[in-house]
Amino acid sequence: MVHVLETGLEFLANENPNGKPAVRGYNIINGQLTLASDGATFSSMNPALLKDHLGEFPLSTKADVNAALDAAHEAFPGWAATPAPTRGQIIGNMGRLLMDHKDAIVALETREIGKTLKEAAGSVQEAIDTCLFFQSEGRRLYGQTVNSELPDKELFTYRRPLGVCGIINACNFPAAVPFWKMIPAIMCGNTCVWKSPQDAPLLSFALARIMHEAGLPNGVINLVHGKGSGAGQHLVDAVDEGRVNKISFTGSTEVGKMIGEVCGRNLVSCSLELGGKNPLVVMPSANLDNAVEGAYWGGFGTAGQRCTSLGNLILHEDIYDEFMTKLMAKVEATRIGDSLVHDGVLYGPMLSEKYAKDFLVAVEMCKASGANLIHGKGRISSDNKPTNFLSTAEDGVYMWPHVFTDVTEDMECFHEEVFGPAITICKARDFDHALHLANASPYGLSSAIYTNDRLEAYRYKTGIKAGMTGINNSTTGAEAHLPFGGVKGSGNGTRESGIWVIEAYSYWHAVNDELSGKLQLAQMDVEEVEMAEADVDWTQLA
Ligand code: UN1
């Protein structure tokens, strides 16, 4: 076993059509490169060029996850005792290294999950922003001094780390989201076992190496690759075994509920960022061109594979026809392809074959719901492709943009998240109806309204039940220093990002220091203040 920084990259012999190498990927446990205990591996493939093999990665076993947990437990006391400003300095180094390597990391993200270069750059920038924010948070991590009700006694509060955190993220924001989780976790003094997303192991491996290069001590972040149902499940099972003090998960509502149950029965804290069916309302006073831009981007940017992507588009009946004409002109002209090869594409392939398969099932569900499919024909192929499809269809997993109209509240597709390039459109009679529809799905992650009526905007932001709301903006676009998360089926109320996330990775420790040299009992030995008698009749002044 060698330390992660003592080696270069190890390349495999196979030849890829784009001339790019495939690597031997490793877990990183206690700073060491390790394979799966039984030697099993899985492949990472480029979804825009399915013959492009990025590498082979360990299919981690229970023993591997346990080894990672051992390392995280061992590293915990030393890391928790490291001054928070020093922890912050290492995090700052991570941000600076990411800036140095940004172009390569961005291209790698695009190669591994097919996001456009522009969007991959956004995701990597969000990771950088998170590092720069938490670098200085290491110099704060404030507690309070609190006045005691007794003399010669001081009260204090301190933030303490929770211990070993299990980190499980989805592959759609493979740089931003794990950094949202692990950077505040380690800033607070926790250590982590990170189960990388099955469809983004190489990017995760690169990021974990950069973290070590930044000065991260061994064992503070331990990376294990594998499947959600394999290594991910082993990590969750370890909660039942008393070996995990926190789980942070981004993924489906179904899996999130299972994790919440396991954590709940063990009284272990969990952060859950789950699905969404994000509504966007357009009212007659809106700037329609601007609203069309926002809806189009929210629905089809990232091939609709953000948890903040537009779900239900709710159009006021007075602007419905005009809006639809403008929207469909854009949808029909959508440029789709591999952004490593073509400029100006709105979206690339699905994140992987698995996401493509699930998306096609969801499209069938929308049809079966009774929604009216006015645009979109499933998977793109050479003889079934939209006008501005730029790549060779069979090279990757590409989907048409899909538009469903005449969607009503009683339909399954109104309530179910469709993770991919599809929007479901409803008509609203008036503002109250639009707000009702916006609140009627089981989710509450993001939401948006386009209006130039200030009272409507006010009523929307006070009436909507969602973790995030855009006014005259699309449903996406969270920033690294604002709280990110949802309510209802979108999560358990915990937040990522900004100062708010610190609550998720620390607990408050109240300390009292009795200086009087005697036992003074709170509530009981507190001197009572008598009120004085005064004889003024204030009614004389009235
Ligand atoms: C996600 O899809 O899990 O606001 C995260 C946004 C991004 C983050 C999305 N900044 O869409």
Side-chain angles (χ1 to χ4, degrees), residues 126 172-173 177 180 250 306-308 476-478 484:
E126 211 163 339
N172 64 336
F173 274 80
V177 172
W180 278 3
T250 295
R306 292 182 181 233
C307 52
T308 53
T476 77
F484 185 100

Side-chain angles (χ1 to χ4, degrees), residues 288 292 318-327:
L288 279 202
V292 166
D318 291 355
I319 48 90
Y320 187 89
D321 292 341
E322 189 185 347
F323 187 96
M324 286 304 293
T325 306
K326 288 175 187 259
L327 177 69

Side-chain angles (χ1 to χ4, degrees), residues 41-334:
T41 62
F42 68 98
S43 306
S44 175
M45 308 304 292
N46 175 350
L49 192 57
L50 290 165
K51 291 199 184 106
D52 177 26
H53 177 212
L54 283 85
E56 281 298 300
F57 295 84
L59 200 54
S60 303
T61 62
K62 173 106 178 141
D64 301 322
V65 172
N66 275 339
L69 285 166
D70 288 345
H73 277 285
E74 207 165 302
F76 176 68
W79 182 245
T82 302
T86 306
R87 299 196 298 250
Q89 203 187 328
I90 294 169
I91 288 166
N93 290 347
M94 292 176 187
R96 285 182 285 279
L97 280 172
L98 272 185
M99 286 188 223
D100 291 349
H101 299 301
K102 186 173 173 186
D103 290 349
I105 296 293
V106 166
L108 168 56
E109 180 167 329
T110 296
R111 185 179 162 215
E112 194 160 42
I113 58 159
K115 239 185 203 192
T116 65
L117 284 169
K118 184 173 177 176
E119 287 202 56
S123 162
V124 174
Q125 187 58 45
E126 211 163 339
I128 295 169
D129 294 344
T130 300
C131 291
L132 300 187
F133 183 88
F134 283 105
Q135 166 181 18
S136 56
E137 213 42 58
R139 292 199 176 269
R140 284 184 284 269
L141 202 60
Y142 294 143
Q144 295 116 342
T145 57
V146 180
N147 287 294
S148 172
E149 61 192 31
L150 294 159
D152 296 328
K153 186 173 177 184
E154 283 196 302
L155 309 180
F156 308 93
T157 67
Y158 298 91
R159 286 196 182 274
R160 304 291 190 211
L162 300 173
V164 171
C165 304
I167 307 292
I168 306 171
N169 61 295
C171 73
N172 64 336
F173 274 80
V177 172
F179 271 57
W180 278 3
K181 297 176 183 303
M182 287 190 286
I183 296 301
I186 63 172
M187 191 275 295
C188 289
N190 302 283
T191 56
C192 300
V193 173
W194 173 21
K195 207 298 275 175
S196 72
Q198 196 187 338
D199 294 312
L202 182 52
L203 185 84
S204 308
F205 180 64
L207 294 173
R209 281 192 65 125
I210 285 173
M211 287 171 145
H212 284 81
E213 197 181 327
L216 190 73
N218 290 346
V220 174
I221 287 176
N222 302 279
L223 173 71
V224 287
H225 303 286
K227 293 189 178 180
S229 58
Q233 187 64 53
H234 297 321
L235 194 50
V236 174
D237 291 343
V239 174
D240 271 334
E241 292 150 18
R243 307 210 60 214
V244 177
N245 308 103
K246 164 95 199 178
I247 293 275
S248 184
F249 171 77
T250 295
S252 74
T253 299
E254 190 193 349
V255 175
K257 283 183 177 170
M258 178 275 288
I259 291 175
E261 280 178 30
V262 175
C263 289
R265 67 174 174 248
N266 290 286
L267 306 180
V268 162
S269 146
C270 61
S271 291
L272 302 172
E273 297 302 342
L274 312 175
K277 185 76 184 178
N278 309 301
L280 184 152
V281 168
V282 184
M283 296 299 292
S285 67
N287 174 330
L288 279 202
D289 290 325
N290 193 25
V292 166
E293 284 288 338
Y296 177 64
W297 161 254
F300 302 110
T302 334
Q305 298 169 111
R306 292 182 181 233
C307 52
T308 53
S309 289
L310 167 59
N312 288 329
L313 175 59
I314 301 164
L315 302 176
H316 190 283
E317 59 188 14
D318 291 355
I319 48 90
Y320 187 89
D321 292 341
E322 189 185 347
F323 187 96
M324 286 304 293
T325 306
K326 288 175 187 259
L327 177 69
M328 291 317 295
K330 288 185 85 68
V331 171
E332 278 155 22
T334 302

